[in-house]
Amino acid sequence: MSDTLRQLAQVLEARKAADPDTSYVASLHAKGLNKILEKVGEECTETLIAAKDAEHSGKADELIYETADLWFHTLVMLSRFDLGPDDILQELSRRFDLSGLEEKAARK
């Protein structure tokens, strides 16, 4: 499963330095962090709306589509900081032996 994320991260890293006129990812990077964050926020909102719609309709197609967009743009954001899915997966792995309440308390 994480192979797909790693492959996508490699593509995003390669496209980061591409011509912004021919690459969507490069165009986001050329516009700067604020544009990337705007897209993450936009996709987050669309994902939330899709989740609400899925709850009422019982159909998850749009939720899956919007979540994929959110993950994509989140990976673009991470790539801006030379981070990728492995960094996030490592943090999630670190949390496996903690209960959610213990992990939250440890942040304080």
Side-chain angles (χ1 to χ4, degrees):
M1 175 172 46
S2 61
D3 286 344
T4 300
L5 292 175
R6 285 188 191 103
Q7 288 175 328
L8 179 55
Q10 289 172 347
V11 170
L12 294 178
E13 193 60 33
R15 291 188 183 163
K16 197 160 75 168
D19 180 357
D21 292 331
T22 61
S23 167
Y24 174 68
V25 172
S27 73
L28 287 175
H29 283 285
K31 292 173 185 171
L33 180 61
N34 284 346
K35 183 60 176 179
I36 295 169
L37 296 177
E38 179 184 309
K39 288 301 297 180
V40 172
E42 175 187 317
E43 298 304 339
C44 181
T45 300
E46 291 174 359
T47 300
L48 296 174
I49 293 167
K52 293 295 279 182
D53 291 347
E55 181 177 49
H56 295 291
S57 72
K59 297 178 184 174
D61 293 350
E62 196 66 24
L63 177 58
I64 292 166
Y65 181 88
E66 294 300 343
T67 301
D69 282 353
L70 176 59
W71 285 19
F72 175 87
H73 287 90
T74 299
L75 288 171
V76 172
M77 177 189 66
L78 290 171
S79 76
R80 180 77 176 194
F81 298 97
D82 297 321
L83 298 170
D86 285 336
D87 297 294
I88 307 309
L89 293 171
Q90 183 178 12
E91 174 59 18
L92 290 171
S93 292
R94 183 190 69 78
R95 296 179 187 186
F96 260 95
D97 292 329
L98 295 174
S99 77
L101 296 175
E102 289 171 347
E103 192 280 326
K104 188 174 180 180
R107 289 188 230 162
K108 295 181 181 177

